[in-house]
Amino acid sequence: MINDLRFAQYFLFTQHSLSTFEKCPLKFKKRYLENLKWENYLGDEVKKRLELGNNFHLLAYRYFQGIDPGLTQDVEGFEELDRWMASLINNFKNDELKKYYPEYKLRMSKGNLRLEANFDLIIIDGDNILVWDWKTHVKDKKDREKDHQLQSIRLKKSLQTMVYLFVLKEQSEILTGRKIQCENIKMHYWQPDPPKILAQINYSEKMHMNFEKELLERIESILQYEYSKFDKTQYAKSCKFCEFNWFCNNERINYSAMEEDEDFLEELDWDDVEELT
């Protein structure tokens, strides 16, 4: 069990590390306990997508900091980035009465609840806290509408929502200097092209209590997991995308399947790239 290791006292869980364990405990062990990583395992097309998202986040960060975004035509993906930034600027007008925290990291420790959340944007508007998360992976137009409702439900129930809102409420006093009620916190998932709120979550005290219970249960299950009893047949679904597929199955990564799998791409957020490479 992990309890005997230094990991148990110092590791900060993120949405991605929690999701990794859920998909495959052995993958979690190798990536986070043994610190084994492959820089090139994602493949060229997926890395291009991540780089495009990375650039958008950087441009958005500069915008909310009051800095010239500095987008030039020689940047890879200029046309898309130009559209996305025009959409962002049109939909998010800087207001001097509000405080903006782009690319903001919050950490917390409460017993075994040791969590880290990396926010795309936090806005303080009086007693209200608004969280905005950018989603730049756009499906084909014909699939957008039919998948929108399903995507909204999935985002509302996601680990990202759970981790972000819980950490934000627990650490809200750091941002505001005062205690903020759950009902004054909202989270939005937003795509720039076409501009649309994919999901909005109005936080509540009941949600906060439920999130605390579920996150604690997830973390404790990781700390108590016995890897000697690992059965890879239970987690075979994600093997084809896994950098450890050669270790487990003597098979290479299926890059074509990775690039075509919408669920994999949708879950792969550039904020977690540091954990992947």
Side-chain angles (χ1 to χ4, degrees):
M1 292 190 292
I2 303 177
N3 283 326
D4 298 329
L5 304 180
R6 233 171 140 253
F7 169 90
Q9 297 178 359
Y10 298 103
F11 187 78
L12 288 167
F13 292 91
T14 64
Q15 68 175 80
H16 199 275
S17 59
L18 291 169
S19 176
T20 298
F21 183 86
E22 182 178 52
K23 291 174 182 175
C24 179
L26 185 61
K27 183 174 183 176
F28 177 94
K29 179 176 184 287
K30 293 199 166 295
R31 181 179 289 172
Y32 297 106
L33 274 69
E34 299 176 8
N35 201 31
L36 297 176
K37 299 177 182 179
W38 272 260
E39 291 188 4
N40 297 318
Y41 96 89
L42 289 173
D44 292 338
E45 289 303 315
V46 175
K47 283 192 290 186
K48 284 182 182 178
R49 173 190 174 270
L50 287 175
E51 184 63 26
L52 192 65
N54 187 359
N55 285 335
F56 176 70
H57 280 71
L58 177 60
L59 294 169
Y61 170 79
R62 291 172 178 169
Y63 170 71
F64 287 108
Q65 290 282 61
I67 304 170
D68 182 356
L71 179 60
T72 58
Q73 293 189 16
D74 60 340
V75 174
E76 182 75 25
F78 169 78
E79 291 185 1
E80 276 188 289
L81 290 170
D82 191 44
R83 288 199 309 272
W84 293 356
M85 283 305 297
S87 178
L88 181 81
I89 293 169
N90 186 52
N91 285 273
F92 294 85
K93 303 295 185 183
N94 271 317
D95 185 337
E96 293 182 357
L97 298 178
K98 299 176 183 178
K99 294 181 179 179
Y100 298 87
Y101 297 87
E103 303 304 322
Y104 197 81
K105 181 179 293 186
L106 282 174
R107 295 169 172 171
M108 62 158 290
S109 179
K110 183 180 179 181
N112 283 337
L113 276 169
R114 296 180 303 280
L115 296 162
E116 176 180 290
N118 301 295
F119 299 88
D120 291 346
L121 177 66
I122 299 173
I123 301 176
I124 308 298
D125 183 8
D127 290 330
N128 299 310
I129 303 180
L130 308 176
V131 178
W132 290 88
D133 189 83
W134 318 133
K135 293 299 181 188
T136 55
H137 175 62
V138 181
K139 295 185 176 184
D140 291 337
K141 185 175 182 180
K142 64 181 180 180
D143 295 327
R144 288 173 184 162
E145 291 304 321
K146 70 177 183 180
D147 288 345
H148 177 68
Q149 186 174 4
L150 180 62
Q151 183 184 39
S152 177
I153 293 171
R154 184 164 58 243
L155 288 170
K156 289 177 180 179
K157 295 181 177 180
S158 69
L159 267 170
Q160 181 178 5
T161 296
M162 197 181 306
V163 171
Y164 280 33
L165 287 175
F166 183 78
V167 172
L168 181 59
K169 171 60 174 75
E170 291 291 309
Q171 300 294 73
S172 60
E173 198 166 351
I174 292 176
L175 285 167
T176 64
R178 58 192 182 279
K179 293 190 179 295
I180 299 295
Q181 300 298 314
C182 290
E183 286 70 19
N184 292 98
I185 298 174
K186 292 182 180 180
M187 182 170 181
H188 310 80
Y189 291 95
W190 185 79
Q191 72 175 25
D193 185 22
K196 179 187 290 186
I197 294 176
L198 301 174
Q200 175 179 305
I201 301 95
N202 300 320
Y203 207 33
S204 69
E205 186 64 33
K206 182 178 180 181
M207 290 172 68
H208 192 65
M209 292 173 63
N210 289 339
F211 286 177
E212 179 172 22
K213 181 175 182 293
E214 183 166 346
L215 287 169
L216 184 58
E217 288 176 352
R218 285 174 177 268
I219 290 173
E220 290 183 340
S221 71
I222 294 174
L223 297 177
Q224 297 169 9
Y225 188 79
E226 296 186 25
Y227 288 94
S228 61
K229 297 181 179 179
F230 174 76
D231 179 4
K232 69 178 183 180
T233 62
Q234 298 180 22
Y235 304 95
K237 183 178 179 181
S238 62
C239 285
K240 59 186 177 181
F241 305 142
C242 179
E243 65 266 42
F244 305 108
N245 197 22
W246 186 267
F247 172 86
C248 294
N249 304 305
N250 200 30
E251 296 178 358
R252 298 187 183 279
I253 296 171
N254 188 333
Y255 290 108
S256 296
M258 178 188 290
E259 292 161 9
E260 295 172 359
D261 191 284
E262 295 290 348
D263 291 333
F264 175 83
L265 292 173
E266 200 166 281
E267 290 178 8
L268 190 60
D269 195 298
W270 90 274
D271 294 318
D272 300 307
V273 173
E274 289 184 0
E275 297 182 30
L276 298 170
T277 58

